[in-house]
Amino acid sequence: MENFKMVAKTLFGLEEVLAKELQQLGAQQVEPGVRMVSFVGDKGFMYKANLALRTALKILKPIHSFRAWNDRALYSGIQSIDWSKYLTVNQTFVVDVTLSGEQFTHSQFVALKTKDAIVDQFRDKYGKRPDIDKLHPDLRINIHIFNDQCSVALDTSGNSLHHRGYRSATNIAPINEVLAAGMLLLSGWDGSTHFLDPMCGSGTILAEAAMIACNIPANINRKEFAFEKWQDWDNDLFDTVTNSLMNKTREFHYTIKGYDKAPSAVMKAKDNIKNANLEDYVTISQENFFDTNKATEGPLHMVFNPPYGERLDINLERFYREIGDTLKQGYPNTNAWFITGNLEALKFVGLKPSRKIKLFNGKLEARLVKYEMYDGSKRAKFQQD
């Protein structure tokens, strides 16, 4: 099988994490950019990337690039592609557009021009044209225009890869699965200690933590990928890739626990963990974190997503002070990481973070912070070392 260039899209701040994932999977010519990483692989690797990458939102396959300084140049550039290689008159397609620069400013106009160029080519050749289907197209085409540079790619994934397939129930402010996986990987989570999410909500961080600990492919529960409708779809190759990935899963010898004080959240989290077939690894109980102490011996790894006051009405000062007090008093020998979009609230924790990483939770600028809780005093820890 021949190799070709691909582009994996991701969230801001996760580019290096995604690049490392790709290298570990065996990608070639891995180059991080802004919210994306380019790489080279064959068709089997395209299947593998979609199944296994935890921090990718989409995998795109570029097929053509050209200069488009106006709508006529855009139309002729799209027409220069032989679309019969990718589409038949009886199939459906949709066009997604991303724009930056001053050349084109209306994504719907670019999508319409692209559609016209494609259907006109089919009508001229065959007297018939493929239809548009925005919900379940046979082919999803991605147009990216930066100033006058137009890149045309096929979307190999379909729906964003954060749709893992296990989350049937969510709470008020669920965290994106790709962001959850990125936080875990940035925190150094690898399954070598006990794990706790003390404010687990619908269980997304727990599910991602368990899949990382057991090396289970991130999208093994997903129902479909866009490439399954392509003309060159190879079901046997896909099965081979899937089986190869599943043969690399590993045993996990510690505990993964989740707490939430809301009974409804606990119920949803349990449902989602069951959907992901992770019940053997994850236990969830109704607890108020502020009333708990560390329940395991040895080091503990903690990652959570506390409320920011954006969608949940809380007293931020008191809430974040209680986070700090609970960590100080009840959780020795713990690496505690959490994300917040409320940078002011961090002042109330009363602890100095040893790391701060800039991320975005949706459109909200956030920080992933780390607090190292030592067993005994920090000074004693350093004297011991």
Side-chain angles (χ1 to χ4, degrees), residues 20-315:
K20 187 176 176 183
E21 277 199 274
L22 280 160
Q23 285 160 347
Q24 289 172 340
L25 270 188
Q28 300 171 33
Q29 298 175 40
V30 177
E31 292 180 21
V34 179
R35 292 188 173 90
M36 54 78 74
V37 180
S38 66
F39 62 99
V40 168
D42 60 15
K43 183 161 71 174
F45 193 84
M46 180 181 81
Y47 294 169
K48 189 174 169 183
N50 274 284
L51 275 163
L53 289 174
R54 303 183 194 283
T55 56
L57 293 166
K58 276 185 184 292
I59 311 294
L60 303 177
K61 180 184 179 181
I63 57 170
H64 189 47
S65 61
F66 58 92
R67 287 186 65 206
W69 49 91
N70 59 26
D71 57 334
R72 288 190 301 280
L74 172 66
Y75 181 93
S76 65
I78 298 296
Q79 277 238 316
S80 70
I81 301 165
D82 180 3
W83 287 102
S84 64
K85 284 183 182 176
Y86 313 107
L87 199 58
T88 70
V89 290
N90 299 315
Q91 289 183 303
T92 59
F93 72 100
V94 72
V95 180
D96 298 320
V97 175
T98 309
L99 302 175
S100 56
E102 297 173 8
Q103 222 74 19
F104 294 91
T105 52
H106 296 290
S107 56
Q108 281 183 309
F109 172 77
V110 171
L112 192 62
K113 271 287 166 198
T114 302
K115 183 214 74 170
D116 288 347
I118 294 169
V119 299
D120 289 352
Q121 185 185 98
F122 276 98
R123 201 182 280 117
D124 293 344
K125 268 188 184 178
Y126 306 107
K128 283 177 73 182
R129 49 154 287 184
D131 288 327
I132 297 290
D133 183 343
K134 291 181 179 177
L135 294 177
H136 302 289
D138 295 308
L139 188 69
R140 192 172 278 274
I141 298 161
N142 186 279
I143 304 292
H144 180 268
I145 302 179
F146 176 68
N147 293 328
D148 65 351
Q149 288 297 316
C150 179
S151 300
V152 184
L154 306 183
D155 183 342
T156 78
S157 308
N159 288 335
S160 170
L161 293 173
H162 81 272
H163 294 294
R164 304 283 204 231
Y166 62 74
R167 202 162 76 175
S168 59
T170 60
N171 294 312
I172 297 170
I175 195 165
N176 176 301
E177 291 88 331
V178 162
L179 178 58
M183 287 164 51
L184 287 158
L185 293 171
L186 282 168
S187 78
W189 168 246
D190 59 3
S192 60
T193 62
H194 295 292
F195 182 91
L196 174 67
D197 177 350
M199 300 179 190
C200 71
S202 55
T204 305
I205 291 174
L206 295 171
E208 298 295 323
M211 288 196 288
I212 291 169
C214 301
N215 202 33
I216 296 167
N219 290 303
I220 198 69
N221 295 297
R222 195 175 152 106
K223 297 285 186 286
E224 65 174 9
F225 300 94
F227 54 68
E228 291 178 51
K229 294 183 176 181
W230 289 10
Q231 293 176 22
D232 68 349
W233 161 240
D234 188 334
N235 194 39
D236 291 341
L237 176 61
F238 183 75
D239 286 346
T240 301
V241 170
T242 304
N243 291 335
S244 170
L245 286 168
M246 290 306 291
N247 286 336
K248 290 175 181 150
T249 58
R250 59 183 175 235
E251 285 299 309
F252 174 65
H253 303 291
Y254 297 91
T255 58
I256 296 176
K257 292 183 178 176
Y259 299 155
D260 205 285
K261 68 176 187 178
S264 60
V266 170
M267 199 164 64
K268 288 171 185 173
K270 285 181 174 178
D271 284 347
N272 291 333
I273 293 301
K274 186 178 179 183
N275 292 340
N277 300 304
L278 296 170
E279 293 159 294
D280 290 349
Y281 308 106
V282 180
T283 57
I284 300 160
S285 53
Q286 186 187 341
E287 306 271 0
N288 182 343
F289 173 51
F290 303 145
D291 298 332
T292 67
N293 290 296
K294 188 176 167 208
T296 51
E297 293 292 318
L300 176 66
H301 198 96
M302 187 188 290
V303 180
F304 60 112
N305 175 35
Y308 310 162
E310 284 283 307
R311 302 186 214 179
L312 295 167
D313 188 23
I314 56 169
N315 180 324

Side-chain angles (χ1 to χ4, degrees), residues 315-359:
N315 180 324
L316 276 177
E317 183 172 346
R318 189 175 69 206
F319 188 84
Y320 277 79
R321 187 173 289 122
E322 284 193 88
I323 289 177
D325 289 346
T326 305
L327 289 174
K328 265 186 290 195
Q329 292 158 20
Y331 284 86
N333 199 5
T334 296
N335 280 335
W337 294 76
F338 68 80
I339 189 170
T340 182
N342 192 316
L343 307 187
E344 286 297 304
L346 288 176
K347 295 174 184 174
F348 306 127
V349 176
L351 297 166
K352 187 175 171 62
S354 58
R355 283 196 72 189
K356 276 188 187 179
I357 301 170
K358 182 179 172 182
L359 296 171

